[in-house]
Amino acid sequence: MYQPPRPPSFWHEFWLLTRLVYGILFWPVLALVAVLLAVVGVFVAFAIHWGFGLLALTAIALAVAAFARWESHRPPPPHA
């Protein structure tokens, strides 16, 4: 005899939606935390010595330039 499938339980839907939301928000939140840590790191580096502060700014500039170069050499996404 045919029995229709049972709908998913409340907890199954809850965990599925929680995983979906965290999956979407993970990279933006990680980027914000990284920027915050970089700013704090620059302030601490300048507080120790101005040379360390310039070194930290140089490292950030090199990281941004490397990311820009990586993005410019990626193939474009397919058109819909």
Side-chain angles (χ1 to χ4, degrees), residues 1-13:
M1 177 182 218
Y2 175 75
Q3 294 181 353
R6 292 177 28 193
S9 68
F10 169 77
W11 288 110
H12 182 73
E13 288 185 16

Side-chain angles (χ1 to χ4, degrees), residues 17-63:
L17 290 174
T18 302
R19 183 177 176 207
L20 180 72
V21 168
Y22 282 137
I24 291 171
L25 292 178
F26 177 74
W27 292 111
V29 169
L30 185 68
L32 288 172
V33 169
V35 168
L36 182 67
L37 289 175
V39 169
V40 169
V42 167
F43 278 119
V44 169
F46 270 113
I48 294 171
H49 190 271
W50 63 268
F52 290 138
L54 291 179
L55 192 64
L57 288 177
T58 304
I60 292 171
L62 287 175

Side-chain angles (χ1 to χ4, degrees), residues 68-79:
R69 179 172 161 83
W70 178 68
E71 274 291 318
S72 68
H73 287 78
R74 286 180 54 193
H79 297 291

